[in-house]
Amino acid sequence: WCLLLPRRQKKTASHAVTELENTKDCSQAGKPLLCPSHPTEELQLFCEQCDQPVCRDCLLGRHRQHPCDFASNVIHKHGDALKDLLRSSQQHMDTLEDVLSQVEEMGSTVRSRAEAVATEICLFARGYVKAIEEHRDRLLKQLEDLKVQKENLLHLQKAQLQQLLLDMRTGVEFTEQLLMSGSDVEILVTKGLVSSRLTKLNSVTYSTQPTVDDRIQFSPHEKAGQCCGYEVFGAILNKLVDPARCTRRQEDLHSARQNQLSAFTLLCKDATGERVGRGGEAVRVTITHKDKKDCAVKPTVSDNGDGTYCISYIPEEPGLYAVCICVKGQHVQGSPFTVMVKHKFREHQGVFHCCTFCSSGGQKAARCACGGTMPGGYQGCGHGHKGHPGCHHWSCCGQVKESSECLCEPPNDTSQRSLLRTVAL
């Protein structure tokens, strides 16, 4: 046990360790061990049952019936078992030393890796900060350009209005002075020139409102692309959505089908009618049946992120529907719209064949909706005979286009079902 403990511990540092093979000689050469129960007797025997050394008096006493033998005879058996246990412990020690070495090495690796990652984080942060600062400078420059542009337009409008006002004031003052102080002849002489000047000034068109507005906003959540390789957010918006200018794409104005997915696209525009190239608007759509007030369709609004919104829906009932589209709580241009939902697409119940004779295998009772007949008692059509359309057609309704919709009403009448069953033969 002393060998298993670190040698540097004080309580075991001075202990002497002897191999088990030498314990016999050491015990003989050293001072004999005396029995604690019989101090005058030497411990020379070993009780197998009690697993302890005993003396002769112990063997005559409470160990009388126990299997005992001389210590020199059993030392090898017990020593070998102890050696096996020792070897196993030493193997564990070797494993523990290896694991400790790996743990220490892993600790060193973790520290090195953490330092490397910390460096990466600092580089990333510095790059990100640089990107944000550049994006900030770019936004401020864009804002300054937008401000200068608006101010220039206002300055131009102001100069034009001031000049027009000055011209009008001069003309008005001259005319007033002429009427007040001029003689009749002077008024009549200058009347034409003054009238022409005032008429020309009065015909000048000018805007009664500022040519630009103050619509400048900053949207911090707007995607602004990449800067220095980093994704950045934040954009200056000077185009606000005007619900009265928003429209529905014209090619989407078509009728829908019962139980089929239909969709249309909303185009968001600003007050000037230009497309707004961003999303994020509050779009609300309601679709209700005009005849059945309790029949409503729940639409799905998908923001495409470019100023367009896709509205999809599946009507369960045919009929006329009212579609209300609101942006920012206001109806868009033309809202509410009307959409006619047709009955679901009628699949053909017959066969697309060249003639009844071929598709039925020559059965006389087989008929076709094209109305063709054959001589000899055949109730269906045949090539070149009366009523045959001259091409492939559907036996249920006579349509000659394979991908067409069936013209027949749903098969709820007995004669139609009989016709279809017969054709199916």
Side-chain angles (χ1 to χ4, degrees):
W1 176 255
C2 295
L3 187 63
L4 299 178
L5 296 175
R7 297 287 293 175
R8 62 176 180 271
Q9 292 190 4
K10 292 182 179 181
K11 62 181 181 180
T12 60
S14 60
H15 291 190
V17 180
T18 305
E19 295 291 339
L20 289 176
E21 290 86 351
N22 301 328
T23 52
K24 180 178 179 180
D25 297 336
C26 292
S27 62
Q28 292 176 349
K31 186 178 179 181
L33 297 177
L34 300 179
C35 179
S37 301
H38 309 92
T40 59
E41 293 293 328
E42 182 181 353
L43 294 173
Q44 296 180 338
L45 302 170
F46 185 80
C47 179
E48 295 286 352
Q49 181 172 332
C50 298
D51 194 27
Q52 66 178 36
V54 295
C55 65
R56 295 178 182 275
D57 289 347
C58 292
L59 187 62
L60 297 175
R62 61 189 181 91
H63 297 277
R64 180 185 299 274
Q65 302 298 328
H66 296 178
C68 296
D69 199 350
F70 286 99
S72 58
N73 294 335
V74 298
I75 183 61
H76 296 291
K77 181 179 70 171
H78 292 280
D80 292 342
L82 196 56
K83 286 178 183 179
D84 293 339
L85 186 59
L86 178 61
R87 279 192 294 270
S88 177
S89 300
Q90 289 173 339
Q91 290 176 356
H92 283 294
M93 287 177 60
D94 294 339
T95 303
L96 288 171
E97 289 177 354
D98 291 340
V99 173
L100 284 172
S101 176
Q102 294 178 18
V103 169
E104 291 180 358
E105 184 179 354
M106 183 57 68
S108 176
T109 304
V110 167
R111 287 189 293 273
S112 300
R113 184 59 187 153
E115 292 175 359
V117 172
T119 303
E120 292 179 8
I121 292 174
C122 292
L123 290 174
F124 170 80
R126 281 197 292 268
Y128 208 173
V129 170
K130 181 181 178 182
I132 292 175
E133 290 176 347
E134 288 192 12
H135 183 52
R136 175 202 60 195
D137 297 340
R138 190 168 60 187
L139 288 173
L140 292 176
K141 177 66 169 53
Q142 182 181 351
L143 178 61
E144 180 65 21
D145 293 343
L146 182 59
K147 183 194 73 171
V148 171
Q149 178 186 0
K150 287 180 177 287
E151 286 178 342
N152 288 341
L153 291 174
L154 290 173
H155 286 323
L156 178 61
Q157 184 184 16
K158 181 180 177 181
Q160 293 172 343
L161 292 174
Q162 286 176 339
Q163 185 62 46
L164 180 60
L165 179 60
L166 178 60
D167 293 342
M168 282 192 168
R169 183 176 286 119
T170 302
V172 168
E173 289 176 354
F174 179 82
T175 304
E176 289 178 345
Q177 185 66 26
L178 176 64
L179 293 175
M180 290 176 59
S181 305
S183 64
D184 295 342
V185 175
E186 290 175 335
I187 293 175
L188 292 175
V189 169
T190 58
K191 174 184 72 68
L193 181 62
V194 172
S195 297
S196 175
R197 177 62 174 168
L198 290 180
T199 302
K200 184 178 180 179
L201 289 174
N202 289 333
S203 64
V204 175
T205 58
Y206 57 91
S207 175
T208 58
Q209 300 291 333
T211 54
V212 297
D213 51 40
D214 61 346
R215 289 182 294 186
I216 303 176
Q217 289 183 339
F218 175 67
S219 176
H221 303 294
E222 194 85 12
K223 288 185 177 180
Q226 287 194 345
C227 184
C228 300
Y230 294 86
E231 188 77 21
V232 291
F233 293 83
I236 295 175
L237 309 177
N238 64 331
K239 290 185 178 181
L240 299 181
V241 173
D242 186 356
R245 295 279 187 169
C246 298
T247 59
R248 199 173 74 167
R249 187 168 285 166
Q250 293 299 321
E251 55 265 29
D252 292 339
L253 296 175
H254 58 78
S255 59
R257 289 277 186 180
Q258 179 185 5
N259 294 332
Q260 289 185 2
L261 180 66
S262 298
F264 58 88
T265 302
L266 173 68
L267 308 177
C268 285
K269 301 179 181 180
D270 62 5
T272 63
E274 293 185 10
R275 275 271 304 274
V276 177
R278 56 180 176 80
E281 297 296 335
V283 178
R284 185 173 60 87
V285 182
T286 59
I287 304 176
T288 54
H289 200 290
K290 282 202 166 187
D291 297 328
K292 302 177 181 179
K293 299 303 180 182
D294 58 340
C295 179
V297 180
K298 185 177 181 180
T300 300
V301 180
S302 300
D303 188 349
N304 298 324
D306 58 355
T308 64
Y309 298 81
C310 180
I311 295 95
S312 56
Y313 62 101
I314 302 177
E316 296 181 355
E317 294 289 337
L320 195 63
Y321 283 78
V323 181
C324 295
I325 308 175
C326 294
V327 177
K328 295 181 178 179
Q330 301 179 35
H331 283 274
V332 302
Q333 188 179 123
S335 177
F337 304 94
T338 57
V339 175
M340 173 58 71
V341 176
K342 296 181 179 180
H343 285 276
K344 61 183 178 181
F345 189 86
R346 293 175 185 156
E347 300 287 346
H348 289 282
Q349 302 298 318
V351 293
F352 192 68
H353 63 181
C354 59
C355 69
T356 307
F357 183 83
C358 294
S359 62
S360 66
Q363 295 189 21
K364 290 187 175 182
R367 294 174 293 152
C368 180
C370 73
T373 58
M374 292 175 61
Y378 288 91
Q379 299 182 29
C381 61
H383 295 288
H385 294 284
K386 181 181 178 182
H388 189 274
C391 60
H392 278 72
H393 55 282
W394 285 100
S395 62
C396 49
C397 63
Q399 286 265 62
V400 295
K401 189 176 180 180
E402 187 174 6
S403 59
S404 61
E405 181 182 7
C406 187
L407 298 179
C408 297
E409 292 296 329
N412 50 10
D413 109 303
T414 320
S415 62
Q416 181 70 13
R417 286 200 302 269
S418 174
L419 170 67
L420 297 178
R421 276 202 305 271
T422 305
V423 171
L425 293 176

